[in-house]
Amino acid sequence: MGVIRLNRSLLIGKGSSRVCYRHPEDEGKCVKVERHVDRSVTAEELCRYRRLQKRGISWGNLARYHGDVETDQGPGAVFDMPLDADGSVSRTLHYYLVSGEADGCKASEMAESLIELKQYLLEHAILVREIKPENMVYRRMGSGECSFVLVDGIGNNQFLPVACYVKRLARRVIGRKWATFERDLSDLYPESMLAKAILRHLS
């Protein structure tokens, strides 16, 4: 495979460390390109993804990693890109909380999908640096079927990496970070009626 050419028409969004583009040759995938020379966070994340691949986990709630590519913007990593039933890129939870555009989404269904995501992380002992509304998308697949998919943040930023190797400790870390996520829904989105409604269903 040659160098993949990326341009502004393919741009999906920019994070603190990476830029995400639609894959120009596969609408079901995206390419993440590092914004900085230091690729340590990405390298650590991809190492975690490779370990998850070896474990043969289900990818139902996590965007699957498909390997590295060369792009005209620098080295890139290819991931699944969750799409809604109409073919549009699935929106982040942050989008729904900030925009106020529920767009037919029910808080009770979102809360149920969040609980499913939490159980998924715990079942597979998938460590994350942070659980943030910006890092998960709400995939609406039609016929009322929806799910949250984690698209960023995989890794372990604990001082001691023991949890990477002991599932019981990993699940304890996940539980703490999930509690922080729920607090953030209240603290970071105080004006969001959707956040309030979701939290009522989670409690």
Side-chain angles (χ1 to χ4, degrees):
M1 181 183 294
V3 175
I4 293 179
R5 299 193 177 279
L6 305 170
N7 56 56
R8 290 186 63 83
S9 69
L10 300 170
L11 181 65
I12 297 173
K14 296 181 179 180
S16 59
S17 61
R18 287 179 294 188
V19 183
C20 185
Y21 297 89
R22 277 182 176 269
H23 196 300
E25 300 168 9
D26 189 336
E27 64 179 15
K29 294 184 176 65
C30 64
V31 182
K32 296 181 181 181
V33 179
E34 197 75 19
R35 299 180 68 177
H36 310 292
V37 175
D38 180 8
R39 303 186 73 241
S40 58
V41 171
T42 295
E44 196 266 347
E45 179 186 58
L46 298 185
C47 178
R48 301 295 171 203
Y49 270 99
R50 294 185 185 102
R51 289 183 179 179
L52 294 173
Q53 287 175 325
K54 289 181 180 179
R55 282 166 49 188
I57 70 161
S58 159
W59 296 93
N61 296 92
L62 179 62
R64 186 191 294 264
Y65 167 58
H66 291 279
D68 301 329
V69 293
E70 288 297 325
T71 81
D72 59 352
Q73 306 294 321
V78 179
F79 291 86
D80 279 341
M81 182 170 64
L83 301 174
D84 289 350
D86 62 3
S88 61
V89 178
S90 299
R91 300 278 196 174
T92 65
L93 175 58
H94 173 74
Y95 167 83
Y96 287 110
L97 295 173
V98 170
S99 69
E101 298 177 16
D103 195 23
C105 299
K106 296 181 180 179
S108 59
E109 294 172 352
M110 280 191 160
E112 183 178 342
S113 295
L114 283 172
I115 292 170
E116 290 175 357
L117 174 61
K118 179 182 179 181
Q119 292 304 316
Y120 170 84
L121 295 175
L122 290 169
E123 177 185 351
H124 296 289
I126 298 174
L127 287 166
V128 291
R129 295 188 302 275
E130 292 179 284
I131 301 174
K132 301 169 59 176
E134 298 95 324
N135 290 347
M136 60 180 74
V137 299
Y138 193 52
R139 182 171 56 185
R140 306 170 68 188
M141 296 164 282
S143 303
E145 187 178 357
C146 301
S147 65
F148 276 105
V149 179
L150 204 62
V151 295
D152 205 358
I154 297 299
N156 182 16
N157 55 2
Q158 302 292 298
F159 179 71
L160 296 175
V162 179
C164 294
Y165 308 100
V166 182
K167 287 187 176 181
R168 177 177 55 84
L169 295 179
R171 292 181 177 118
R172 188 179 300 171
V173 171
I174 293 165
R176 289 201 301 267
K177 294 198 173 187
W178 192 271
T180 299
F181 163 70
E182 291 192 16
R183 288 196 300 271
D184 286 346
L185 287 183
S186 176
D187 295 343
L188 301 180
Y189 304 91
E191 305 301 322
S192 171
M193 298 304 295
L194 179 60
K196 290 181 173 66
I198 288 173
L199 286 168
R200 283 198 297 271
H201 288 288
L202 289 177
S203 61

